Amino acid sequence: MAEDMGMPEGMTEEQIDAMEDAAGSAAQDAYTAALDGGASGPEAAAAAIEAAGQAMTDMGAPPEMVDTMADAANDGFKEAFEGGADPDAAFQAAGESVDDAFGDGADMGPPPGDMGPGPDGPMGPPPEGDMGPGPDG
């Protein structure tokens, strides 16, 4: 994830989260300001990506990490916008594309397929007979 993208050593998870929040806020502010100023969706996206990249750079992200973010955001926005999404939906798609690029698996769901038996083999049936009193006596 972040380490794979060249994240500077010694950055804590809190610092990475703060960078993500700062970049997202900068992108949202720039995107909204550009749209309010009459920019097209793609022009606003370019402003948002530039602002997010600057926020990341200011917080110590290496260039290859910023490039990964920019490429993913641009691809996500372009695909959604060209597919007929409105500017807000296309902006959201750009953010989701960035999350995917950095391996943010918050909404990935369970792994595919059967996970198989546990380390001691498959669980057998419960024991027969009285299992004794429960934890409350």
Side-chain angles (χ1 to χ4, degrees), residues 2 17-18 27 32 37-38 52-53 64 74 81 95 100 110 113 121 130 133 135-137:
D17 290 344
T32 301
E64 60 271 14
N74 193 31
F81 195 76
D100 290 346
D130 185 13
D136 296 330

Side-chain angles (χ1 to χ4, degrees), residues 6-112:
M7 177 60 65
E9 281 190 44
M11 246 186 156
T12 66
E13 191 67 33
E14 291 80 21
Q15 290 169 318
I16 293 169
D17 290 344
M19 182 185 305
E20 182 180 329
D21 291 344
S25 292
Q28 181 68 60
D29 292 348
Y31 190 74
T32 301
L35 288 176
D36 289 349
S40 68
E43 291 168 336
I49 292 166
E50 183 177 335
Q54 187 61 54
M56 291 175 69
T57 299
D58 291 348
M59 295 184 80
E64 60 271 14
M65 182 179 227
V66 176
D67 289 346
T68 297
M69 177 280 301
D71 290 344
N74 193 31
D75 291 347
F77 182 89
K78 182 179 178 183
E79 182 178 325
F81 195 76
E82 289 178 356
D86 66 46
D88 288 335
F91 181 81
Q92 292 300 318
E96 290 168 8
S97 186
V98 171
D99 288 345
D100 290 346
F102 285 105
D104 182 2
D107 57 352
M108 288 176 45

